Amino acid sequence: MLQSKAFGTSVQVKGWVRTRRGNKKVGFIALNDGSTIKNVQIVVNMEDLGEESLKPITTGACICVNGVLTESPGQGQDAEIQAREIHLYGAADPLTYPLQKKGHSLEFLREIAHLRPRTNTFGAVFRIRHHMAIAIHRFFHERGFYYFHTPIITTSDCEGAGQMFQVTTLNLYDLKKDKSGSIDYADDFFGRQAGLTVSGQLEGELAAMALGAIYTFGPTFRAENSNTPRHLAEFWMVEPEVAFNEIEDNMQLAEDFIKYCLRCALDNCRDDIEFLNNMFDKELLGRLNFVLEQDFIRLTYTEGIRILEEAVAGGHTFEFPVFWGSDLAAEHERYLVEDHFKCPVILTDYPKEIKSFYMKQNDDGKTVRAMDVLFPKIGEIIGGSQREEDYAKLSERAQEMDVPLKDIWWYLDTRRFGTAPHSGFGLGFERLLLFVTGMTNIRDVIPFPRAPHNAEF
Ligand code: ATP
Ligand code: MN
């Protein structure tokens, strides 16, 4: 409709009123149906329709307009609609409808998450979210990966205890405990302790050892009590897993994958990204184009630590200490990306102590073949590794890290039967969206964010 040049034809539009202005003779309604950031302008001849009938057509009201498409003399649009008839589906009382004036803060909008998709900003964000989800499926499908569904309810917590939300049908008001005071899960639904998945990787590996190249894309849950702008309790993760890929292939896949998504965003979401660029972050478009043109820098954790130590020696201060063996905090990751290299960085070969038991061990006995992709403004956007395919090394490392072998016997079986080198990674979908939209709080790129003490809608 907005692009149509079929002036003179009858049209019908349905949508929500963004604004209404005008005088006693002529009224202008900016109407939006959610399909794009652009509104269509409805022109109302007050004498034809009567001033009274327009009264309830205020910001937020939902209407259906029958009219004639005409060339617009006004600026900002080619076509407008001369209204013949307006039907009101639902009014929105100006005294109580919360989305009145422009320029509500993002914090305020989070409190009305049920209505915020109706704002320009969140319309743009959620349209981009859709296009990025499609891009992800297209990228993998075009490369011959199979979309594999891993379970949401699981009894294995591969990333370590403490982060899992428990799933139970036990009566919490009347918990049976044994003599030592522990809960008896025999009566629970699964006959054992169960929780919501923190990652689909272990099951993804099983699939890669059969279908070759797979990816998962689904909700992931972490009960980490970190109230940060980069963590959610419920987020979506994309996890490709590929048989015969070594860490170098894994890095290339990650880089190609992110760039493919960014290109899709620029190709399909131009209006929305331009809006966000002008509204919140004047460097957004520049940053997206910049990253597309760069080869990601690849360096080892050890080299990264050296750079950070030199920065400290040169007078730079970090909140958290830097030394070989320390886990990198977001401030360290961002220093490397934003201050030192000014380019996305893939950091590899981390100390084995700070990484998971399943990562392939290097010959130095100290490091594992982990890779984190670090992005400007975000920090870690991808975490991945080459997996340990050797049964003995894997089970030994699991024991060292207190992962009970009896819980992961099925995972270990892949290393007993037809094992092969393989690699994969996890991309946090919302972290990608932070980068693509330029939003700074992860709660603003998912429709209904779940975070500590936050699950209203
Ligand atoms: P971080 O160090 O940032 O907490 P992590 O190392 O715990 O992340 P991984 O276990 O490597 O994360 O998960 C893979 C990816 O999933 C991360 O690179 C990140 O993009 C995303 N991710 C992890 N935790 C969260 C979360 N709580 N909310 C949103 N995205 C997350
Ligand atoms: Mn990680």
Side-chain angles (χ1 to χ4, degrees):
M1 189 86 60
L2 287 167
Q3 271 130 37
S4 171
K5 294 260 185 304
F7 302 130
T9 52
S10 294
V11 290
Q12 182 181 68
V13 287
K14 300 171 181 179
W16 291 267
V17 176
R18 283 290 158 80
T19 57
R20 199 193 84 202
R21 62 195 171 81
N23 51 42
K24 285 204 156 16
K25 284 194 183 133
V26 57
F28 299 97
I29 300 167
L31 195 69
N32 191 285
D33 71 355
S35 59
T36 126
I37 188 111
K38 292 187 177 136
N39 302 324
V40 64
Q41 171 151 284
I42 314 291
V43 184
V44 186
N45 183 330
M46 296 302 231
E47 277 155 24
D48 289 359
L49 292 187
E51 209 180 319
E52 260 322 287
S53 73
L54 240 69
K55 279 234 168 89
I57 299 180
T58 55
T59 298
C62 186
I63 59 174
C64 172
V65 180
N66 288 309
V68 179
L69 193 70
T70 45
E71 192 162 6
S72 175
Q75 283 203 334
Q77 72 264 332
D78 295 336
E80 60 189 23
I81 293 168
Q82 291 282 343
R84 281 209 184 116
E85 179 191 19
I86 300 181
H87 170 71
L88 177 70
Y89 286 123
D93 185 347
L95 291 175
T96 47
Y97 183 59
L99 284 176
Q100 286 303 328
K101 59 184 191 319
K102 285 183 181 171
H104 292 300
S105 73
L106 294 170
E107 288 79 9
F108 170 72
L109 292 174
R110 251 172 251 148
E111 290 167 18
I112 50 165
H114 59 308
L115 294 172
R116 68 178 183 167
R118 294 197 200 174
T119 61
N120 285 331
T121 298
F122 286 93
V125 167
F126 297 142
R127 278 187 296 272
I128 294 171
R129 190 177 164 107
H130 160 82
H131 281 288
M132 288 298 89
I134 299 292
I136 286 164
H137 286 299
R138 273 193 26 213
F139 174 84
F140 289 117
H141 179 69
E142 284 169 7
R143 275 160 190 72
F145 285 60
Y146 291 107
Y147 181 28
F148 191 76
H149 294 105
T150 51
I152 288 177
I153 297 178
T154 166
T155 52
S156 73
D157 174 2
C158 79
E159 303 282 341
Q163 290 194 334
M164 241 211 234
F165 285 100
Q166 209 169 316
V167 173
T168 180
T169 52
L170 290 177
N171 179 357
L172 297 182
Y173 294 101
D174 181 22
L175 276 180
K176 281 198 208 98
K177 296 195 180 158
D178 65 16
K179 284 178 210 91
S180 66
S182 346
I183 293 163
D184 181 6
Y185 283 99
D187 289 341
D188 202 353
F189 189 88
F190 298 103
R192 57 193 290 193
Q193 198 173 0
L196 297 175
T197 181
V198 296
S199 160
Q201 180 200 319
L202 299 192
E203 291 91 348
E205 284 187 51
L206 311 182
M209 289 294 109
L211 301 174
I214 65 95
Y215 68 105
T216 72
F217 183 9
T220 308
F221 308 85
R222 294 192 185 175
E224 50 197 344
N225 213 346
S226 40
N227 242 321
T228 82
R230 304 180 311 125
H231 290 90
L232 290 162
E234 176 181 304
F235 63 102
W236 287 63
M237 186 139 68
V238 184
E239 294 181 277
E241 193 69 40
V242 190
F244 317 117
N245 263 12
E246 311 253 341
I247 184 95
E248 291 77 16
D249 310 305
N250 208 29
M251 287 193 259
Q252 196 58 49
L253 180 69
E255 182 169 347
D256 292 348
F257 172 49
I258 296 191
K259 286 183 173 170
Y260 182 97
C261 293
L262 300 186
R263 220 170 285 119
C264 278
L266 290 171
D267 289 348
N268 297 301
C269 312
R270 200 74 205 193
D271 291 345
D272 288 327
I273 292 177
E274 272 170 12
F275 171 81
L276 295 171
N277 184 89
N278 298 338
M279 191 76 184
F280 295 103
D281 181 352
K282 296 277 185 296
E283 284 158 25
L284 173 61
L285 266 168
R287 208 161 46 237
L288 291 172
N289 282 307
F290 174 78
V291 165
L292 267 178
E293 287 158 15
Q294 299 300 309
D295 289 331
F296 296 2
I297 301 274
R298 293 162 194 214
L299 80 159
T300 64
Y301 167 92
T302 304
E303 290 164 334
I305 288 289
R306 199 174 305 136
I307 291 167
L308 293 169
E309 281 173 344
E310 277 163 17
V312 172
H316 193 94
T317 50
F318 293 113
E319 192 183 334
F320 297 100
V322 180
F323 54 93
W324 199 96
S326 62
D327 209 351
L328 297 186
E331 55 170 348
H332 305 131
E333 298 173 342
R334 291 183 61 173
Y335 178 86
L336 290 174
V337 173
E338 289 166 21
D339 297 330
H340 191 83
F341 290 109
K342 300 190 177 17
C343 173
V345 169
I346 311 183
L347 215 54
T348 60
D349 302 288
Y350 283 72
K352 63 179 181 185
E353 281 74 22
I354 58 171
K355 290 292 182 184
S356 302
F357 74 95
Y358 50 70
M359 296 191 180
K360 187 173 172 68
Q361 296 165 46
N362 282 317
D363 294 336
D364 62 10
K366 293 191 298 193
T367 59
V368 288
R369 253 172 236 184
M371 55 162 241
D372 279 7
V373 181
L374 312 179
F375 252 52
K377 294 262 180 196
I378 313 289
E380 180 184 331
I381 191 165
I382 280 181
S385 67
Q386 184 165 346
R387 319 306 189 188
E388 182 57 77
E389 81 263 28
D390 182 273
Y391 178 82
K393 284 187 190 161
L394 179 64
S395 44
E396 189 187 316
R397 191 72 192 130
Q399 278 167 303
E400 278 169 18
M401 297 186 80
D402 292 325
V403 179
L405 296 188
K406 65 169 180 31
D407 288 353
I408 53 163
W409 63 272
W410 45 272
Y411 178 69
L412 295 170
D413 260 8
T414 52
R415 276 62 169 179
R416 294 210 302 147
F417 309 119
T419 191
H422 60 288
S423 302
F425 59 79
L427 166 102
F429 185 46
E430 285 77 16
R431 299 247 176 117
L432 174 70
L433 288 172
L434 280 177
F435 189 71
V436 174
T437 61
M439 303 304 275
T440 51
N441 191 315
I442 199 162
R443 297 171 198 204
D444 294 333
V445 294
I446 188 165
F448 304 105
R450 268 81 182 101
H453 294 280
N454 203 321
E456 173 84 4
F457 304 97

